[in-house]
Amino acid sequence: MSILAVYITDINGQQLFEYPVSDSPPTNKILQVALRDASPEDVILRLSSDELLFHRKQDALDFLIPCTAAMPALVPLEFISHLIKVLHDYFQPPLSRQKIEKNYSTIMMLLNEMIEDGYPFVTEENALRDLVPFAGGLSKFLPTLPKGAANSLKSLTSSSSSSKSFSSDSSLPRSNVPWRRSNVKHNNNELYVDIQETLSVIIPALSPTQQLLNSINSGPNPAPSASAFYTPAVPQVLAEPIVAIAHGSVLATTKLSGVPDIQLILSFGNRLLEGPAFHPCVRLARWRERPGTLSFIPPDGKCCLLQYTISGVESGPIGGDLKTGLGPMKDEFEVRVWSRVPRNVKFVENLRVEVVFDGERVQNVKGTRASSGEFNIEKKGVGVWRFPGKTPMGWNASLRGTMVVNEDLEAGPDGTVAQEFPKYIRISYDCQGMLVSGAKVESLRIVSGKGLDDRAKPYKGVKYLTQGKDIVIRG
Amino acid sequence: MAESLSKITAIFETAKELTMEAAASARTATASLGEDGVFRQRDVQRYLNSRHEKEKLVGMKAIATMMSKGQDVTEYFPDVVKNSAAQTLEVRKLVYIYLLRYGQQESDLALLSINAIQKSLGDQNPQIRAMAIKVLSGIKVPSIAPVILLGIRKSIVDMSAIVRRAAAVAIGKCFELDKSNLETLVGYLATLLADKSFYVVGSAVQTFVNICPDRLDMLHTNYRRYCNMLADIEEWGQVCVLDMLTRYVRVYVPKGSMVKKQKDEFYSDDEESAKEAEEQQEDFVIDPDLEMLLAAAKPLLQSRNSAVVLATVNLFNALVPEADLSFLGPPLVRLLSRPSEIQYVVLSNIAVLAIQNNELFAPYLKYFYVFPSDTPEIAKLKIEGLTLSCSESTVSEVLSELQYYATSVDKLLVAEAVRAIGRCAQISNEIARRCLRWLLKQIHSTDHTLVGESLTVIRYIIQLSPKDHIKTVAKLAVALDSATVSLARASIIWLVGEFAGIARYIAPDVLRKCAKNFADEDKNTKLQIVLLAAKLYSYYIEEKPVQEDQEQEDQQLEPTIRPPADPMDLLFDYIMLLARYDTSYDLRDRARLYKSVLSSQSSAPIAKLLLQAPKPSPHAPSPSQGKEKFLIGSSGLVCAHISDARSLPPWSSDTPDASIRDEIKSEETPVFASLPKKVKPKAKKGKKEIKKKKVVVEKLKQVKPKSVKKAEEDYHTTLDEFFGEPAATSAPVMVVEEEEDSEQQEEEEEEDSEQEEEDSESEVEIIVEVSDDSEEEDGEDDSEDEISEEDDENEEGGGGEEEGSESGSDDQGETEDESDDAAARGLLSGQ
């Protein structure tokens, strides 16, 4: 069971970096041939009966790791994740061809520490910072100690010096915090906690009864005048989402000197976290005693303390619906989006609505009229309706249009080609200041800080972000 | 105040100057090298041979760049090797990486560096010691295997966990290099497996898996310790340890069993166990050691590393499949938020788990709903997960979701969803009827994929119980009138023909209708029509009285006035006639075949065989069916057709007593008493050194705080075991203390002179070392008995004490025998 090599290529498969681990690993050429033959979705390719290729694309780069077949499937994939994290830590995201080419020696040294005997070895960013000089920093010189003092025996014979040499020795793994690099010093002590949730929702089409209720509530259908915009009120009856899942992560950015001990208390209301996952620094016993309590000595810099999943959350600050068969010819569709009345939120950003239809059958979309924003067909079967910048809350917009069906298509049994409508709409946005799960930080304090100046009042900040990734509304 | 301020400013000034200078030199250095992406050999060599560390670094970086680009840089070998004792850590690391990559190709030159590396083994910085053992074991030059062994021996008892961890890895690499040392290496590994530091254990187990995975007996005394430290081991180590403990339990721990008792000591949460007690009278009783492992492994489901999560799931699945494993669901579905590659692997594993236990993921159906952003592979696996996890109570929800996918635009999704509906139909007759109703409606769709797949599934459902579905065949026949897709028409005709034996009155009418439009049909449909005609005719002649048959034959032979022929005869003849003049060869051939087979009574049995053969009921297993033989988390499960030999040992029925897992508290039972004698250290110097180390340890014991002390005590124990000699355990601390006092004074001078010597004659030393060891080995008899060895040791012990005052407690391990050294030198000069 071993990793055979690490290759980094650009998106076209041109090799940028190679790090062979075994004596004669499969070359990038062989891997590229295997990749070409495989379908683009295959994540694990079979090179031979006992060799596999794992790969993942990130930031316009492709990371390729050929392995022997006995390797558990997730080890190389997690390793790539770690490698990307480390490279981001060293060279800042996003990674690029130039960044790789400029830093060959650093990447080589990193991999030399990260893989030992064909298996992941040291992969913590903080531990690696101690081992491999950080790009841009001056190179570390070997400590030239006066002769005699270099003798470890001597230092070990006296109690005081031995204990000192242990604590000050930067390369010794401190048994309690192997993930924190040693001798951290910051001029400005800061501590930030970001909670991000990614929201995925599926809202089914309204049932006929619900549609009927809506039409009653909003009065008779507006007069079929093509010129007038139908400005919608938020419909009374909405289909309940059949799926509403939030994947959350609690990120800490610590810039604190010494070895701080932090306690972060979160509340999730009464919601149930499905299978939370923790950074190794989090004391699990405390969490078990009182769920929501994260007690930890953080690694320096960024880290993800907690990942969680909650199902059955709210459907988010943006709503939408899709109606079909409107207008005098019953051939129009209408997409509406609206923002709900917020609690602490003033706006959402990067709002984008994809209108998805059958690209084979639909030739064009004609007579589109949008109350705001811009609608364009961006690729076959997908029209994108964009709202650049900030979108205020308590707002709504609508889009109407007709799908033009490709006339070459075979007609149905009655000789006519059925009218096409969008299949579904897909909404995405970023919304700062709120979390759909209702999670929040109850308290954040630095319990103790060895090496942290008592007078120093670290700046503490908390940020919430909800990303609507996949809000699917079916038509 | 002002003074101090000016002081500070002055310091800043100098600091600034220094930085500027450094930056400037770095700039000029890099600017002149490889500016245009091309490195001229002479330039690079000039930098490598420079006196300045910075220039060396520039040279090494150029080498690194060329290596990363995949260029061959072996030509620089002599220039690079010279820098193996460079002062800058960065340069040294780059040189080491170079050596690791090319050492094998230029083994003679690589030997030049061995001495410098070996010296680093005694560096006071543990990081450098670790690096040294890593490089030493990584240079693939078989002749240095004895040197590596020596280095490993020194490193496994190092004070620093970093070095011991590096030694654990080195053992694996040394084994790769020279497999003949296995027994010695296993002995060393045993020491590391018993290491107190969780930092070391992870890598030790990884090496164990690579070199001697079958020696599970080495784990007896470590088993409980590993359970206790499992949570602290680093992530990658956890994967190995979990896997190995799973194997261990299978072989050495009794299997859990169901016992009718009220005993509530399972690892599950309170509510869960309460529920369990309600549901079942009998309880699942497991061995305390197994229980310990399960309790220790459960928190690892909360690991952020998905490989650890899957290894933990595998442990539970392999060891207690009978227990309530519902807690495995949430960690797995949580992983569905990870990148699509990881999702794919996790979903493949979920499918296999769901095949074994369909209730496991029943509460998490929502996580398997397909989003437009899912890749086709993931969508496919999600649909499988949905189908496998649905039960009678959730099936309507799942069906309506599948029906949505089946009518979507994506062809792959459509096909997959319709097949999934077919699998759902197996749950009950009621559901099968519901599925059938929906599928029959789809025949009129214009989507070819949907129609084709629907008919396949309809056929499947009918074939499950043909007698109940005569009406369905009738419905299909009606649907034929309006079905436009030729594929659908062909399938329907085939189905009708297939059930002609059961639904007698439907088929002839269908054939009649088809005969009308024969010319307009698609080729495939025509083929099916001809086949249908043949099938019907074969049933027909089978039932016809024999006489009539003969009569008919007679008539055919002598065409006289024919009695009004049976419509079946006419229809068959008509179709055959049409086929005979068709443009397709295939169709004409088949028509001829059927006609001749069906024309004579003698070939009737053949015709029956040909046309009425009962078709096997199509098997529609879940796509992941058959993958259960793979371990959860293994690559074999995800990627078919690879030789993943990993499988679990079977449960052993005859397990030894649990007391074998008692941890060793004293010297009573040495860790590797079971190992062959050979394991005992051979080389003289090594032994001496370790003895000295032990003394250090003993000294430490007196001064260290309690917690450390305890650890050291245990550490001490293992050392004693290592020697297994009474002389060592009762080692005269006093004497050694004396030694040390005198040593320390002499050391400084010693080292000085020694270092100079060594630097100037690096080549010599290697040869000395190698020859030294080999001589010893030659001299040793394999069947050497205890007594002689002890004698040996006694001698050494005495010698060591004397020598101690001479060579000092050299922490670099270069306790060269002066005379030997000199002899070798003489030998060399003679050459």
Side-chain angles (χ1 to χ4, degrees):
Chain A
M1 130 170 142
S2 86
I3 292 171
L4 300 171
V6 177
Y7 294 99
I8 303 177
T9 71
D10 66 8
I11 224 75
N12 302 319
Q14 197 199 339
Q15 181 181 319
L16 300 177
F17 175 85
E18 69 164 28
Y19 184 84
V21 179
S22 71
D23 288 342
S24 50
T27 62
N28 184 43
K29 268 186 194 154
I30 296 175
L31 303 186
Q32 291 305 328
V33 170
L35 279 174
R36 211 173 308 129
D37 295 346
S39 76
E41 288 83 20
D42 274 345
V43 284
I44 301 175
L45 303 180
R46 180 177 166 273
L47 297 174
S48 68
S49 67
D50 56 356
E51 279 176 357
L52 296 173
L53 171 63
F54 295 81
H55 73 114
R56 171 164 161 202
K57 288 191 168 65
Q58 175 80 29
D59 303 347
L61 297 175
D62 202 356
F63 293 80
L64 308 159
I65 299 197
C67 285
T68 54
M71 188 63 105
L74 282 178
V75 170
L77 289 176
E78 276 286 346
F79 179 78
I80 297 178
S81 292
H82 273 84
L83 178 61
I84 290 168
K85 239 195 287 174
V86 168
L87 295 181
H88 277 166
D89 185 47
Y90 268 76
F91 312 122
Q92 300 307 312
L95 298 172
S96 64
R97 191 194 171 104
Q98 287 74 24
K99 279 182 189 169
I100 300 292
E101 282 174 344
K102 256 191 216 161
N103 296 293
Y104 279 134
S105 62
T106 310
I107 301 174
M108 210 161 84
M109 281 192 275
L110 283 170
L111 281 170
N112 185 44
E113 303 289 349
M114 291 178 79
I115 303 176
E116 262 287 28
D117 201 17
Y119 196 73
F121 197 64
V122 177
T123 51
E124 281 294 325
E125 294 103 300
N126 269 249
L128 286 166
R129 286 267 191 127
D130 280 344
L131 294 170
V132 177
F134 192 63
L138 285 173
S139 59
K140 221 195 280 175
F141 277 82
L142 287 180
T144 43
L145 287 155
K147 279 167 195 165
N151 191 326
S152 61
L153 265 185
K154 193 174 183 179
S155 64
L156 288 173
T157 42
S158 65
S159 66
S160 60
S161 69
S162 80
S163 66
K164 220 184 250 169
S165 79
F166 261 80
S167 61
S168 65
D169 194 338
S170 61
S171 51
L172 245 181
R174 266 173 259 209
S175 52
N176 50 348
V177 278
W179 52 83
R180 188 169 175 85
R181 77 189 165 93
S182 42
N183 306 324
V184 183
K185 280 203 185 75
H186 288 284
N187 288 333
N188 297 317
N189 284 299
E190 296 163 324
L191 171 60
Y192 299 101
V193 171
D194 287 24
I195 307 185
Q196 294 179 357
E197 283 181 358
T198 313
L199 180 65
S200 305
V201 179
I202 297 176
I203 298 174
L206 283 174
S207 66
T209 31
Q210 284 172 320
Q211 278 172 357
L212 192 71
L213 272 174
N214 267 344
S215 65
I216 293 166
N217 283 337
S218 60
N221 256 355
S225 63
S227 64
F229 275 120
Y230 170 60
T231 0
V234 175
Q236 307 292 310
V237 183
L238 282 173
E240 281 295 309
I242 46 172
V243 180
I245 297 170
H247 289 297
S249 47
V250 180
L251 305 162
T253 310
T254 7
K255 292 177 179 168
L256 297 173
S257 310
V259 186
D261 195 337
I262 298 170
Q263 193 183 54
L264 168 66
I265 298 178
L266 304 170
S267 89
F268 291 95
N270 295 322
R271 295 193 186 278
L272 186 71
L273 301 189
E274 315 249 51
F278 300 93
H279 190 277
C281 72
V282 177
R283 298 183 181 102
L284 289 180
R286 299 277 177 85
W287 177 276
R288 240 172 278 139
E289 270 166 36
R290 200 189 140 187
T293 308
L294 294 168
S295 166
F296 56 96
I297 295 173
D300 191 48
K302 273 187 191 164
C303 79
C304 180
L305 294 170
L306 166 70
Q307 288 161 290
Y308 59 86
T309 297
I310 298 179
S311 69
V313 293
E314 309 282 316
S315 57
I318 299 288
D321 76 351
L322 170 63
K323 282 188 177 176
T324 54
L326 303 174
M329 308 294 290
K330 304 265 182 230
D331 59 352
E332 289 183 34
F333 69 89
E334 181 182 59
V335 179
R336 295 181 295 174
V337 283
W338 59 87
S339 52
R340 299 203 167 90
V341 181
R343 274 170 302 203
N344 308 314
V345 186
K346 301 234 159 37
F347 55 83
V348 295
E349 286 173 285
N350 307 326
L351 178 61
R352 187 185 132 104
V353 181
E354 274 180 21
V355 180
V356 182
F357 46 88
D358 187 344
E360 295 293 329
R361 297 177 50 84
V362 176
Q363 209 169 31
N364 197 5
V365 181
K366 71 169 183 193
T368 51
R369 317 182 285 285
S371 64
S372 61
E374 268 180 47
F375 179 79
N376 292 305
I377 307 284
E378 300 218 333
K379 59 181 178 201
K380 199 177 173 189
V382 182
V384 182
W385 186 21
R386 279 176 211 279
F387 302 90
K390 294 172 182 174
T391 304
M393 305 312 282
W395 154 102
N396 64 55
S398 70
L399 169 78
R400 266 200 175 205
T402 306
M403 305 251 142
V404 182
V405 179
N406 193 342
E407 283 171 6
D408 304 338
L409 282 171
E410 50 193 289
D414 50 350
T416 55
V417 178
Q419 176 62 39
E420 275 292 318
F421 294 109
K423 299 285 180 198
Y424 59 89
I425 59 171
R426 182 172 165 224
I427 305 174
S428 60
Y429 56 85
D430 295 334
C431 178
Q432 284 198 4
M434 69 158 290
L435 295 170
V436 274
S437 68
K440 57 176 189 280
V441 173
E442 294 276 328
S443 84
L444 169 63
R445 53 195 196 94
I446 300 167
V447 181
S448 73
K450 218 190 323 170
L452 186 64
D453 193 351
D454 290 342
R455 285 160 300 171
K457 284 247 170 84
Y459 179 79
K460 291 187 283 188
V462 175
K463 225 166 48 179
Y464 302 130
L465 174 67
T466 294
Q467 279 182 305
K469 191 187 84 183
D470 259 332
I471 317 290
V472 177
I473 298 161
R474 293 177 179 170
Chain B
M1 188 65 187
E3 201 183 308
S4 61
L5 208 72
S6 65
K7 235 183 215 170
I8 292 169
T9 353
I11 292 169
F12 271 125
E13 280 298 310
T14 38
K16 197 178 162 192
E17 270 168 37
L18 272 173
T19 327
M20 299 284 274
E21 206 178 304
S25 71
R27 210 176 303 136
T28 49
T30 39
S32 58
L33 194 61
E35 200 177 31
D36 46 356
V38 183
F39 298 101
R40 274 169 291 278
Q41 190 181 356
R42 202 180 305 156
D43 289 346
V44 175
Q45 277 171 342
R46 188 159 52 81
Y47 277 100
L48 288 174
N49 292 322
S50 161
R51 287 175 169 276
H52 302 289
E53 289 288 324
K54 274 208 185 70
E55 295 194 345
K56 282 181 188 170
L57 183 60
V58 173
M60 279 317 295
K61 280 190 170 171
I63 297 278
T65 303
M66 288 188 276
M67 281 164 79
S68 303
K69 283 182 174 170
Q71 295 168 17
D72 183 31
V73 287
T74 39
E75 55 189 345
Y76 298 101
F77 211 103
D79 309 287
V80 173
V81 166
K82 274 178 205 157
N83 291 322
S84 52
Q87 287 302 300
T88 332
L89 193 56
E90 210 176 337
V91 175
R92 223 196 255 191
K93 277 193 174 168
L94 289 170
V95 172
Y96 284 175
I97 296 171
Y98 183 92
L99 281 173
L100 291 176
R101 178 103 52 105
Y102 299 107
Q104 201 175 7
Q105 293 169 34
E106 301 272 347
S107 50
D108 291 343
L109 284 169
L111 285 176
L112 281 173
S113 61
I114 300 291
N115 185 51
I117 299 168
Q118 221 183 347
K119 204 181 286 168
S120 310
L121 276 178
D123 198 285
Q124 55 103 40
N125 183 346
Q127 200 190 313
I128 293 175
R129 293 203 296 275
M131 214 161 78
I133 188 68
K134 169 180 171 168
V135 178
L136 201 59
S137 58
I139 299 180
K140 292 162 191 138
V141 182
S143 62
I144 62 164
V147 182
I148 302 173
L149 275 182
L150 212 64
I152 293 174
R153 248 185 69 177
K154 193 168 147 64
S155 303
I156 56 171
V157 291
D158 199 284
M159 296 301 301
S160 164
I162 274 195
V163 182
R164 297 201 301 275
R165 188 182 181 201
V169 178
I171 290 174
K173 288 197 270 190
C174 186
F175 172 68
E176 286 290 304
L177 192 64
D178 185 356
K179 295 213 166 38
S180 65
N181 291 321
L182 179 62
E183 285 178 5
T184 319
L185 290 171
V186 168
Y188 294 157
L189 187 60
T191 314
L192 291 175
L193 285 173
D195 201 289
K196 288 292 149 195
S197 167
F198 51 78
Y199 194 70
V200 178
V201 163
S203 291
V205 170
Q206 152 73 11
T207 301
F208 174 87
V209 172
N210 277 343
I211 73 171
C212 53
D214 301 326
R215 289 292 309 274
L216 288 169
D217 56 296
M218 287 167 74
L219 306 171
H220 289 322
T221 50
N222 295 320
Y223 176 85
R224 288 174 196 162
R225 228 163 38 84
Y226 287 176
C227 289
N228 286 329
M229 62 165 69
L230 195 54
D232 291 323
I233 296 172
E234 40 83 40
E235 298 164 344
W236 310 108
Q238 280 173 347
V239 176
C240 290
V241 175
L242 284 168
D243 180 61
M244 195 201 56
L245 289 178
T246 310
R247 283 158 204 280
Y248 178 87
V249 170
R250 285 279 199 134
V251 179
Y252 288 110
V253 179
K255 196 179 175 184
S257 56
M258 301 301 266
V259 174
K260 286 199 178 174
K261 257 184 192 174
Q262 291 287 314
K263 196 185 166 198
D264 222 331
E265 278 218 332
F266 201 46
Y267 48 88
S268 51
D269 295 337
D270 286 354
E271 340 153 20
E272 274 174 11
S273 50
K275 213 167 64 184
E276 251 183 25
E278 270 175 41
E279 279 174 8
Q280 50 192 30
Q281 289 290 311
E282 51 181 8
D283 241 338
F284 190 57
V285 176
I286 50 175
D287 188 89
D289 276 327
L290 177 54
E291 193 176 327
M292 185 180 183
L293 173 61
L294 297 178
K298 204 177 170 190
L300 297 191
L301 290 170
Q302 298 176 332
S303 170
R304 62 176 173 163
N305 189 320
S306 56
V308 177
V309 175
L310 273 197
T312 314
V313 171
N314 180 48
L315 184 141
F316 279 100
N317 187 49
L319 299 183
V320 283
E322 308 89 342
D324 173 22
L325 296 179
S326 57
F327 57 87
L328 296 181
L332 286 172
V333 295
R334 189 242 313 150
L335 290 176
L336 299 182
S337 65
R338 301 293 306 276
S340 63
E341 296 84 14
I342 292 178
Q343 277 188 48
Y344 176 73
V345 176
V346 171
L347 281 166
S348 306
N349 284 288
I350 284 179
V352 171
L353 286 167
I355 286 172
Q356 291 166 13
N357 177 359
N358 71 337
E359 283 165 19
L360 213 48
F361 298 97
Y364 309 105
L365 282 177
K366 302 265 181 211
Y367 289 89
F368 303 135
Y369 280 31
V370 179
F371 278 89
S373 52
D374 289 330
T375 66
E377 309 292 315
I378 287 176
K380 205 172 150 184
L381 284 165
K382 277 189 169 178
I383 288 177
E384 191 180 359
L386 265 182
T387 324
L388 287 169
S389 307
C390 80
S391 61
E392 220 156 330
S393 56
T394 50
V395 74
S396 70
E397 192 188 328
V398 170
L399 272 182
S400 60
E401 189 64 15
L402 289 174
Q403 286 163 8
Y404 178 82
Y405 305 146
T407 49
S408 74
V409 179
D410 186 345
K411 296 258 178 293
L412 260 168
L413 196 61
V414 171
E416 211 49 57
V418 176
R419 277 176 225 149
I421 290 173
R423 294 199 295 273
C424 280
Q426 297 169 28
I427 294 176
S428 75
N429 281 338
E430 167 63 29
I431 293 159
R433 264 195 293 281
R434 200 181 137 182
C435 294
L436 205 55
R437 251 199 320 275
W438 186 82
L439 290 166
L440 282 169
K441 270 189 217 157
Q442 306 314 312
I443 296 171
H444 305 291
S445 164
T446 48
D447 184 339
H448 292 223
T449 328
L450 176 59
V451 174
E453 291 293 337
S454 297
L455 279 164
T456 315
V457 175
I458 290 171
R459 172 195 160 196
Y460 167 70
I461 295 174
I462 295 176
Q463 272 191 291
L464 282 180
S465 57
K467 295 253 155 57
D468 301 340
H469 287 293
I470 296 173
K471 267 190 184 158
T472 314
V473 179
K475 277 184 198 158
L476 276 173
V478 173
L480 191 62
D481 294 341
S482 51
T484 46
V485 181
S486 68
L487 176 77
R489 295 183 66 82
S491 296
I492 294 173
I493 295 168
W494 183 85
L495 268 171
V496 169
E498 212 40 47
F499 298 104
I502 305 161
R504 282 317 257 299
Y505 53 93
I506 302 169
D509 198 48
V510 170
L511 186 62
R512 181 185 60 82
K513 281 184 184 170
C514 290
K516 276 197 219 163
N517 297 326
F518 189 85
D520 302 332
E521 297 285 6
D522 184 83
K523 188 200 147 192
N524 269 324
T525 320
K526 283 181 185 166
L527 273 176
Q528 292 304 332
I529 295 172
V530 170
L531 183 62
L532 174 66
K535 278 178 186 166
L536 276 179
Y537 196 66
S538 82
Y539 281 112
Y540 168 72
I541 54 171
E542 204 181 315
E543 284 167 20
K544 240 181 4 176
V546 183
Q547 268 185 329
E548 233 177 88
D549 213 37
Q550 278 173 340
E551 227 173 79
Q552 199 186 357
E553 273 176 37
D554 293 343
Q555 279 168 7
Q556 274 177 355
L557 288 171
E558 302 165 31
T560 49
I561 309 151
R562 288 168 77 172
D566 190 288
M568 198 58 237
D569 283 320
L570 293 173
L571 208 49
F572 179 71
D573 288 344
Y574 178 60
I575 301 269
M576 289 303 138
L577 202 66
L578 285 172
R580 198 172 151 194
Y581 295 106
D582 199 85
T583 50
S584 160
Y585 284 107
D586 194 19
L587 194 62
R588 294 203 298 266
D589 282 352
R590 284 192 194 212
R592 204 172 301 132
L593 168 78
Y594 295 138
K595 197 162 180 190
S596 64
V597 165
L598 290 168
S599 58
S600 74
Q601 188 61 40
S602 58
S603 61
I606 300 172
K608 195 181 171 188
L609 245 150
L610 193 68
L611 298 166
Q612 296 175 21
K615 304 287 184 297
S617 171
H619 189 53
S622 218
S624 298
Q625 207 97 42
K627 284 185 177 176
E628 299 95 313
K629 62 174 192 274
F630 293 107
L631 293 188
I632 294 299
S634 69
S635 293
L637 188 146
V638 186
C639 186
H641 316 301
I642 58 164
S643 58
D644 186 356
R646 296 195 324 149
S647 61
L648 285 176
W651 283 100
S652 82
S653 48
D654 180 28
T655 50
D657 192 71
S659 63
I660 54 162
R661 282 182 290 279
D662 289 343
E663 283 178 57
I664 303 171
K665 293 277 189 273
S666 62
E667 292 96 321
E668 289 167 27
T669 31
V671 185
F672 42 92
S674 57
L675 288 177
K677 264 181 253 158
K678 254 191 166 176
V679 168
K680 294 192 176 172
K682 281 176 192 167
K684 289 180 188 175
K685 318 168 202 168
K687 229 178 252 172
K688 231 180 290 163
E689 262 162 51
I690 291 170
K691 228 174 279 168
K692 273 172 206 145
K693 273 269 151 62
K694 189 182 69 62
V695 172
V696 174
V697 169
E698 238 160 20
K699 297 220 76 180
L700 263 177
K701 240 164 77 181
Q702 296 159 7
V703 294
K704 284 220 166 157
K706 263 193 177 172
S707 58
V708 182
K709 202 166 170 183
K710 192 180 167 280
E712 296 298 3
E713 251 166 7
D714 289 324
Y715 169 79
H716 182 187
T717 313
T718 54
L719 267 182
D720 285 344
E721 288 152 13
F722 193 83
F723 288 112
E725 51 172 332
T729 29
S730 58
V733 180
M734 293 253 297
V735 179
V736 180
E737 263 177 332
E738 275 175 299
E739 273 170 37
E740 276 180 7
D741 286 343
S742 57
E743 276 161 29
Q744 279 161 20
Q745 290 154 9
E746 284 165 7
E747 259 162 2
E748 295 168 25
E749 304 154 30
E750 277 281 338
E751 240 180 30
D752 246 356
S753 56
E754 240 180 55
Q755 222 146 19
E756 273 167 32
E757 262 177 35
E758 282 161 12
D759 279 346
S760 57
E761 280 166 0
S762 49
E763 218 170 336
V764 178
E765 270 181 22
I766 307 148
I767 295 162
V768 171
E769 297 247 351
V770 175
S771 63
D772 206 14
D773 267 53
S774 57
E775 255 175 53
E776 256 176 66
E777 261 172 62
D778 287 348
E780 254 167 11
D781 200 337
D782 271 4
S783 60
E784 156 190 61
D785 58 15
E786 284 269 7
I787 305 160
S788 72
E789 211 183 308
E790 256 182 34
D791 280 351
D792 247 282
E793 276 160 5
N794 283 343
E795 272 175 34
E796 280 163 34
E801 271 166 17
E802 278 168 36
E803 262 175 27
S805 52
E806 266 176 46
S807 60
S809 65
D810 188 352
D811 60 328
Q812 301 184 6
E814 325 271 285
T815 49
E816 253 71 80
D817 196 326
E818 297 275 343
S819 56
D820 266 9
D821 211 347
R825 241 173 264 154
L827 212 132
L828 252 185
S829 60
Q831 282 176 342

